Amino acid sequence: MKVIRNYLYNASYQILNLITPFITVPYIARILGPKGVGINSFTNSIVTYFVLAGTLGLTIYGNREVAYNRDDPEKLSKTFWEIEILQLTTMTLSFICFLLFIFFYGQYTMFLLMQSLLIISGAFDISWFFMGLEDFKKTVLRNMFVKVIALIAIFTFVRHHNDVAIYIAILGCTQLFGNLSLWPYLKKIVNKVPISSLEIWHHLRPAIILFIPQVAIQVYLQVNKTMLGQLDSVVASGYYDYADKLVKMVLAVVTATGTVMLPHMSNLFAKGNLKKVNEYLYRSFNFISAIAVPLSFGIAAVATALAPWYYGSKFAVVGQLLILESPVVLIIGWSNALGQQYLMPTKQIKKYTWSVVFGAIANIIVNVPLIIVFGVKGATLATLISEVVVTGYQLISVHSQIDYRRLFSDLPKYLISGIVMFIVVYNLNVSMKISIFSLILQVVEGMLVYLGMILILQPKIILEINGILSRHK
């Protein structure tokens, strides 16, 4: 029940993540325009590399180590201070390198300086500690509060197309404030530890091992925007960013399971309960398939009418990009289950690393020719190809440990239900004038059709839900 409660906490935050941009993005798209949006996207893709370098894989490593040691208060306190001091050190070095980069790069200086707030905030991010404790309530409530503050600030201070720097500063400041707001909770959990007893550097090597896959992931998440900015234009980077953001917002509901299950699986593995680890993987994979399939088909069904209505007529091309990228919701959902919820907790880091490295290599190989030939659509196709490579390699790497038939047993039922839903929603989408009312109607209709088909086809998830409900009556 704790896992379900944590998922609901995390999923509720991800739903807020959906609602907040749903309110702000159309406003920002119209106020800042394609160029302003593109500048934010391009400069953010650059600072992300430095945030990643400063984080050094410590977010995931810290989450896992806290899960391993949470039953021992002394070890827990020692682990926290060692990892956090290491994080402060690496983030400081990264910030210095970023300032040097700005000096020599000489372009978009003001915007890059505003983006540097994300590096500073990263130094004080201790959400990994509470996630390792499986205390998602604090991080979720904190994140919700920060989102509301950012929402108010954006509508208050971003009023003109020249307010790009203000918009970037708001996002950075609220992120910093949110990270600092978690620190007061440490008093009741973390004890003081003598500095002489701290072994900071022994965390460096395992963190770097986890850092390698994080680098590879960011390569194929961020390099598309960077390369579009260089090979095409910052406007094209903005188009890609908005399509990718919408898909990733929806995807966040799916990958919320990974955030919740990583510490839980790590704790089970530390106790040697491998049977339960595998059982949770099958259940989680099935649940992800059940929700990712309708989300993928749903995005594709409403994309062409949604994009120009939502972002403005200047962003009509985003609709085509959404259709191309929509399968990513299901593919990344699967790789999240295999990588974050199975390979990493069971210390099969090498397999996880190779999967994302191969994905990054595939992305780099296909990105340049696809962007040159197809422009922003090529970058979207490159994203899809790289995610297929990642998930495909992970599936191959665990073939001797899991039962594929059990893993995919209900997928045909979800796909049939999703296709029927797509046909209904797409026909509604092309025949109705787009508005908030028609969009809500299409979403509700799609949900009813999909749920109706699921009830007819009866996948195992129905029995699991009934079992949970009967146990808690």
Side-chain angles (χ1 to χ4, degrees):
M1 193 62 188
K2 184 178 181 181
V3 173
I4 296 171
R5 185 172 64 250
N6 283 335
Y7 173 76
L8 291 174
Y9 271 128
N10 209 31
S12 64
Y13 168 62
Q14 302 305 342
I15 290 169
L16 180 66
N17 260 351
L18 287 171
I19 295 171
T20 306
F22 193 81
I23 298 169
T24 60
V25 166
Y27 176 76
I28 291 299
R30 287 165 174 80
I31 295 296
L32 301 184
K35 186 176 181 180
V37 168
I39 289 171
N40 174 53
S41 171
F42 180 63
T43 55
N44 182 263
S45 72
I46 292 172
V47 79
T48 299
Y49 301 130
F50 290 89
V51 173
L52 177 67
T55 305
L56 203 68
L58 290 169
T59 302
I60 293 176
Y61 174 76
N63 183 336
R64 194 185 69 181
E65 290 302 299
V66 169
Y68 288 155
N69 297 295
R70 68 189 185 199
D71 297 326
D72 186 329
E74 288 186 14
K75 280 187 178 180
L76 180 64
S77 298
K78 189 170 182 288
T79 299
F80 169 77
W81 287 116
E82 288 172 346
I83 294 174
E84 177 53 23
I85 291 171
L86 180 58
Q87 180 172 274
L88 284 167
T89 304
T90 55
M91 277 295 188
T92 300
L93 291 172
S94 182
F95 185 71
I96 293 169
C97 291
F98 185 67
L99 292 178
L100 290 172
F101 169 81
I102 292 174
F103 178 77
F104 288 106
Y105 185 60
Q107 299 181 55
Y108 303 110
T109 302
M110 179 176 62
F111 305 111
L112 287 167
L113 284 171
M114 293 297 101
Q115 296 281 10
S116 71
L117 286 165
L118 296 175
I119 302 176
I120 297 170
S121 69
F124 301 99
D125 181 11
I126 54 170
S127 58
W128 49 268
F129 177 74
F130 293 97
M131 288 178 182
L133 295 175
E134 293 191 75
D135 184 357
F136 286 84
K137 183 178 180 180
K138 289 183 179 66
T139 55
V140 166
L141 292 178
R142 180 281 307 260
N143 289 337
M144 286 182 172
F145 180 68
V146 168
K147 287 289 181 185
V148 172
I149 294 295
L151 185 69
I152 294 169
I154 286 169
F155 283 112
T156 303
F157 298 108
V158 181
R159 295 296 189 87
H160 194 266
H161 71 276
N162 291 326
D163 290 340
V164 180
I166 295 173
Y167 174 64
I168 294 171
I170 289 170
L171 297 180
C173 287
T174 51
Q175 184 69 39
L176 176 59
F177 172 74
N179 288 347
L180 291 173
S181 69
L182 280 177
W183 281 77
Y185 293 110
L186 292 174
K187 292 180 181 178
K188 297 179 181 178
I189 310 169
V190 176
N191 303 320
K192 291 181 180 180
V193 177
I195 295 176
S196 59
S197 70
L198 297 178
E199 301 172 274
I200 298 166
W201 301 109
H202 89 277
H203 294 287
L204 187 60
R205 186 176 179 275
I208 289 174
I209 292 171
L210 284 174
F211 174 62
I212 295 170
Q214 295 306 301
V215 170
I217 288 170
Q218 288 303 322
V219 165
Y220 66 80
L221 289 181
Q222 299 296 332
V223 78
N224 297 44
K225 289 181 276 187
T226 309
M227 292 179 76
L228 276 169
Q230 294 293 335
L231 297 176
D232 198 321
S233 66
V234 291
V235 173
S237 180
Y239 289 146
Y240 172 84
D241 187 43
Y242 266 19
D244 191 59
K245 267 190 171 68
L246 189 57
V247 170
K248 296 297 165 60
M249 281 191 291
V250 174
L251 179 64
V253 178
V254 179
T255 56
T257 56
T259 308
V260 170
M261 293 301 292
L262 173 59
H264 192 72
M265 294 285 234
S266 297
N267 192 251
L268 286 173
F269 181 73
K271 294 175 179 176
N273 199 338
L274 295 178
K275 185 177 180 181
K276 210 161 191 177
V277 168
N278 277 42
E279 184 62 33
Y280 273 123
L281 172 65
Y282 292 128
R283 290 183 181 182
S284 180
F285 199 92
N286 188 41
F287 175 73
I288 284 171
S289 297
I291 61 174
V293 167
L295 290 173
S296 295
F297 280 112
I299 291 171
V302 302
T304 51
L306 173 65
W309 170 80
Y310 183 46
Y311 293 122
S313 58
K314 294 179 181 178
F315 290 85
V317 69
V318 172
Q320 300 170 42
L321 305 182
L322 286 171
I323 294 173
L324 289 173
E325 197 175 349
S326 60
V328 160
V329 176
L330 180 60
I331 296 166
I332 293 182
W334 286 344
S335 67
N336 181 265
L338 293 167
Q340 295 271 354
Q341 302 178 43
Y342 188 73
L343 292 177
M344 292 186 69
T346 56
K347 295 189 176 181
Q348 299 184 67
I349 306 300
K350 189 178 289 187
K351 292 176 181 178
Y352 178 71
T353 300
W354 278 116
S355 72
V356 294
V357 166
F358 286 141
I361 292 171
N363 188 275
I364 292 169
I365 291 172
V366 301
N367 229 322
V368 175
L370 285 176
I371 289 175
I372 291 171
V373 176
F374 300 109
V376 67
K377 294 178 184 176
T380 306
L381 286 171
T383 297
L384 181 59
I385 291 168
S386 64
E387 294 298 349
V388 169
V389 170
V390 172
T391 306
Y393 182 86
Q394 288 181 359
L395 282 167
I396 293 169
S397 70
V398 298
H399 74 279
S400 61
Q401 303 170 45
I402 60 173
D403 182 354
Y404 285 156
R405 287 175 298 182
R406 188 173 177 190
L407 207 61
F408 293 104
S409 61
D410 284 330
L411 180 61
K413 296 178 181 180
Y414 300 138
L415 289 174
I416 292 169
S417 303
I419 291 168
V420 173
M421 183 203 74
F422 173 82
I423 293 169
V424 173
V425 175
Y426 181 78
N427 281 311
L428 283 173
N429 190 254
V430 297
S431 62
M432 298 177 73
K433 185 178 179 181
I434 191 70
S435 66
I436 187 65
F437 172 76
S438 65
L439 183 63
I440 292 171
L441 179 64
Q442 289 163 34
V443 170
V444 172
E445 185 70 24
M447 289 172 61
L448 291 174
V449 171
Y450 184 77
L451 289 173
M453 290 298 300
I454 289 296
L455 290 172
I456 292 170
L457 297 174
Q458 289 287 303
K460 286 191 292 292
I461 196 169
I462 298 295
L463 296 175
E464 291 176 5
I465 292 171
N466 287 336
I468 292 169
L469 292 175
S470 62
R471 284 197 300 271
H472 294 91
K473 280 185 178 179

